[in-house]
Amino acid sequence: MPGNYGGLATSILRQATYLSRHRVDIVFDAYPRPSIKDSERARRGIEEKEYIITGPEQHRPKNLADSLKSRSFKEQLPPFLAREWESPQYTHIIEDRYVYLAYLGSCFLFYVNNGKVIKKAVDELASNHEEADTRICTHVKAIDSMNFENKNIVSRASDTDIAVNMIYHCKKFAANVWMDVGTSARNDRRYINISAISMALGESLCNALPGFHAFTGSDYTPAFVQKGKIRPFAILEKDKPAQNAFAKMSREKLDNASVEALKFFTTRICGATATSKASLNQQRYKVFEKGYGPKASAKNPLEN
């Protein structure tokens, strides 16, 4: 990896443009203060260190992996790239591609015209979303509307939130949507056909997926202890009222029937059978008593 920020900018652009001959969209998270994710970052033990990137000749931090954990570094890097990629030295990397760079509330397009790099603001792709996870869907929709011969859109990311959002929105796209996950270094890099997954799940499950993902644990919400997602999803596949309730969760206030459906779904996660009449609190108490209550064979300590 190059030792200065100019070399880092070149390396990032080379790796990004290697993925496509037509269009590349590079989307960064935003880091507002305060943020709903502050507690999650604190839990991960992320240290705050101030960075100021002044220009391409400045030496970058030796440990780039640690720097990428810093909010300050990730706030400084995208604006630097937006300034740096205007330089004429990047014409041979961009070539005939369209390169989009989105961060904070801005999005810029870079392309080559008459041997010069042209930088242009793209207001329709500017977004105030904090997470790139949701902003990516806007970029996929924009790419899908373009007249490219190759109707495959590949998102290079390894994030469950992105997969869930993509599966949910896939029905709106004419192109085949894929995710490129893993790394070559670990020999686990592979392509996941998001469009095929969306078709296999069907509209009802796809509509329920974002609500289900948030309910069972995501970056913003806690997970049920030792429940995971595999068994809850298997329950959801057979629970139509829960599917409808999760689908409503993302677009409207839940009515009483939906709340009751989610309560019953939660009792199932906690071990209740499909025919159980136990309330959610009764089932939770049953699980607690099984794990922490006195054993039937135990001797009463109050007996003589």
Side-chain angles (χ1 to χ4, degrees):
M1 183 67 72
N4 59 23
Y5 281 108
L8 179 61
T10 301
S11 179
I12 291 172
L13 189 58
R14 281 189 187 280
Q15 292 184 48
T17 54
Y18 174 76
L19 298 172
S20 174
R21 287 293 307 163
H22 302 290
R23 171 173 170 162
V24 177
D25 292 52
I26 304 166
V27 185
F28 284 89
D29 287 335
Y31 296 90
R33 303 167 191 257
S35 166
I36 195 172
K37 291 195 72 176
D38 284 343
S39 58
E40 173 66 13
R41 294 181 182 121
R43 185 188 68 80
R44 294 176 184 175
I46 297 174
E47 295 183 12
E48 281 303 319
K49 183 179 178 181
E50 291 299 319
Y51 290 86
I52 299 176
I53 302 177
T54 58
E57 299 304 320
Q58 179 184 352
H59 289 289
R60 67 166 180 82
K62 290 183 179 179
N63 194 326
L64 194 59
D66 282 349
S67 300
L68 287 170
K69 296 176 184 177
S70 166
R71 182 198 303 232
S72 174
F73 182 82
K74 290 184 284 190
E75 287 175 335
Q76 289 280 312
L77 183 61
F80 165 71
L81 296 177
R83 297 190 302 269
E84 177 65 12
W85 288 347
E86 287 186 86
S87 302
Q89 70 199 59
Y90 295 100
T91 56
H92 71 286
I93 301 177
I94 297 174
E95 295 181 330
D96 57 350
R97 300 177 181 86
Y98 295 99
V99 177
Y100 290 77
L101 175 65
Y103 63 93
L104 292 177
S106 304
C107 181
F108 296 101
L109 164 63
F110 299 85
Y111 63 96
V112 176
N113 186 24
N114 293 328
K116 294 182 179 180
V117 177
I118 307 298
K119 176 184 175 183
K120 180 180 177 182
V122 186
D123 293 337
E124 57 268 27
L125 289 178
S127 171
N128 62 357
H129 285 205
E130 180 176 352
E131 291 280 321
D133 303 356
T134 52
R135 300 171 77 175
I136 285 175
C137 293
T138 306
H139 286 258
V140 171
K141 188 171 186 289
I143 297 170
D144 188 56
S145 65
M146 297 181 75
N147 236 349
F148 288 132
E149 291 181 7
N150 182 5
K151 277 296 185 178
N152 288 299
I153 301 174
V154 181
S155 173
R156 174 78 176 117
S158 296
D159 193 312
T160 304
D161 292 351
I162 294 176
V164 168
N165 287 332
M166 290 286 204
I167 292 170
Y168 173 76
H169 287 289
C170 222
K171 58 182 177 290
K172 304 172 186 176
F173 308 138
N176 292 317
V177 180
W178 300 74
M179 278 187 70
D180 177 1
V181 303
T183 63
S184 300
R186 292 201 299 263
N187 198 31
D188 63 354
R189 190 167 180 177
R190 63 196 186 279
Y191 289 89
I192 299 173
N193 191 333
I194 298 297
S195 297
I197 293 173
S198 178
M199 289 184 64
L201 290 178
E203 186 174 356
S204 181
L205 275 172
C206 287
N207 289 339
L209 206 55
F212 168 80
H213 179 55
F215 192 79
T216 53
S218 67
D219 283 353
Y220 293 91
T221 54
F224 292 96
V225 177
Q226 297 181 347
K227 300 303 179 185
K229 291 183 180 286
I230 295 176
R231 183 174 177 275
F233 186 75
I235 294 170
L236 179 67
E237 286 183 293
K238 301 175 182 178
D239 191 339
K240 202 70 176 178
Q243 292 178 29
N244 294 334
F246 281 128
K248 284 184 179 180
M249 190 181 288
S250 60
R251 63 176 188 265
E252 62 186 83
K253 185 177 179 180
L254 296 182
D255 54 28
N256 289 335
S258 298
V259 172
E260 291 303 316
L262 292 180
K263 284 182 179 180
F264 181 69
F265 175 76
T266 309
T267 65
R268 295 293 316 281
I269 291 178
C270 294
T273 63
T275 57
S276 173
K277 300 297 182 182
S279 68
L280 175 56
N281 283 336
Q282 287 171 337
Q283 183 62 29
R284 291 173 62 194
Y285 178 75
K286 183 178 178 181
V287 172
F288 176 84
E289 189 178 40
K290 183 178 179 180
Y292 298 98
K295 306 300 179 185
S297 59
K299 183 179 179 181
N300 189 338
L302 300 179
E303 289 182 356
N304 292 329

